[in-house]
Amino acid sequence: MEDIQNKLTKLDGTPEIVNETAACALVNGNNLFGPVVGNFCTELAIKKAKEAGIGWVVANGSNHYGIAGYYSIKICDEGLLGMSFTNTSPLQVPTRARAPTLGTNPITLAAPGKEGDAFVLDMATSTAPIGKVEIHDRKQIPIPETWGVDSHGEVTSDPKRVLDGGGLLPLGGAQETGGYKGYGLAMMVEVFCGILGNAAYGPNIRKWRETDRLANLGQCFVAINPEVFAPGFRDRMSDLMDHCRGLEPAPGYDRVLVAGDPERAHMKECDANGGIPYHPNLIQHMNNLASSLGVEPMKTV
């Protein structure tokens, strides 16, 4: 919202294809809203995948595009394998380092199964995304000690110390618990986005909450047509998911899940309740934002 108020993000315009082949494209987001750029690139990747078997589209000049998995699901709804990646503000502290250098750099994959079922992976390459730290801060509750460090590089359970000069730990936490793997995955996303697209990357991206310059985020969208490979993809995908779901759960758990199951269960619960449950502190925060913008607040039930 500050980008809009400070006129750092363009309100009108269209992303521009800078270079393309039958299967690939480079897109200039022209500093438009992230979702505008994301939807443009996703539709382009889908078109190329249907024509050439694969569509690989990279964008620069973009902004925060919301939920990474949204674009993968949109591709999956077309019967294709969908992937989406984005770099973000430097929030993640590399293994053995103290200073945040990489973003939460999410990885997503949505793969269709039978009868509307799908494998939907959407994960940050940090132990937790910054949004979860912010939610804990608004709720005024501590975070797990595997999530982040303070400005001195010390592990902390105080979300405010992570947000004010600290940083997030890579997926896996410290080096001894495999954090270097999350660090490597974050670098991979950066290769696909900032490096490949000539966008801002790593420490060159503006810091979280700063609105003094353009974001110039890099994003990557991939669509793959499984029909150009071995037949029966949906059957095998569903077979593997059902096998995992049918495994005997470990003590303390009622069932085994696959990626996408928790979100589908939550969506079903929201539908049954007639709305999305929010913490009172978050509702107050959003109402304050609505008041400052002169728009109607969220309706509650």
Side-chain angles (χ1 to χ4, degrees):
M1 298 309 302
E2 291 183 5
D3 276 353
I4 297 172
Q5 293 170 334
N6 295 334
K7 298 182 179 180
L8 279 175
T9 299
K10 287 185 179 179
L11 300 180
D12 300 303
T14 304
E16 175 188 2
I17 299 175
V18 178
N19 185 38
E20 70 175 324
T21 65
C24 302
L26 173 65
V27 171
N28 182 346
N30 286 326
N31 194 34
L32 293 163
F33 284 119
V36 172
V37 180
N39 281 313
F40 179 90
C41 293
T42 296
E43 291 168 5
L44 181 59
I46 290 172
K47 179 177 181 294
K48 289 182 176 298
K50 289 183 176 180
E51 295 175 352
I54 184 170
W56 190 295
V57 180
V58 176
N60 58 32
S62 190
N63 289 280
H64 180 52
Y65 72 173
I67 301 170
Y70 165 80
Y71 305 100
S72 295
I73 292 173
K74 187 172 182 177
I75 295 171
C76 184
D77 287 343
E78 295 291 325
L80 309 169
L81 278 73
M83 292 187 284
S84 173
F85 312 88
T86 182
N87 60 13
T88 76
S89 298
L91 296 163
Q92 183 180 155
V93 180
T95 303
R96 299 190 178 191
R98 296 187 182 186
T101 302
L102 298 169
T104 55
N105 294 11
I107 291 174
T108 71
L109 166 65
K114 295 191 301 183
E115 300 176 356
D117 198 6
F119 174 86
V120 183
L121 175 70
D122 184 354
M123 54 172 264
T125 52
S126 55
T127 300
I130 194 66
K132 285 190 176 181
V133 179
E134 289 183 320
I135 290 174
H136 278 65
D137 183 44
R138 292 195 183 110
K139 290 181 178 180
Q140 299 179 0
I141 56 177
I143 59 174
E145 291 192 346
T146 55
W147 283 17
V149 296
D150 61 19
S151 58
H152 302 290
E154 298 290 339
V155 174
T156 179
S157 61
D158 183 351
K160 197 170 296 295
R161 293 173 69 185
V162 173
L163 295 171
D164 296 338
L168 301 172
L169 285 169
L171 182 64
Q175 175 173 304
E176 293 74 18
T177 53
Y180 59 90
K181 298 178 182 178
Y183 169 33
L185 288 173
M187 287 283 284
M188 181 190 76
V189 172
E190 197 61 84
V191 171
F192 289 163
C193 299
I195 305 296
L196 195 59
N198 192 27
Y201 57 87
N204 302 320
I205 302 175
R206 71 181 187 186
K207 293 183 179 179
W208 186 248
R209 295 177 174 175
E210 286 187 356
T211 55
D212 59 341
R213 55 195 171 103
L214 302 184
N216 188 21
L217 296 183
Q219 289 153 358
C220 179
F221 307 83
V222 183
I224 302 171
N225 184 357
E227 297 302 319
V228 303
F229 299 95
F233 176 86
R234 289 176 182 262
D235 291 338
R236 293 190 297 276
M237 189 73 251
S238 286
D239 180 63
L240 178 58
M241 289 191 291
D242 290 342
H243 176 85
C244 291
R245 290 168 177 147
L247 293 171
E248 182 179 355
Y253 298 95
D254 59 347
R255 59 197 175 106
V256 177
L257 306 174
V258 299
D261 284 348
E263 291 77 12
R264 279 185 283 264
H266 183 65
M267 290 167 65
K268 185 176 181 181
E269 179 183 347
C270 290
D271 289 340
N273 293 334
I276 304 172
Y278 286 108
H279 191 277
N281 290 357
L282 183 57
I283 293 176
Q284 186 59 53
H285 172 79
M286 297 303 294
N287 287 344
N288 291 342
L289 178 61
S291 177
S292 68
L293 296 173
V295 298
E296 292 186 12
M298 292 192 301
K299 294 181 180 180
T300 56
V301 294

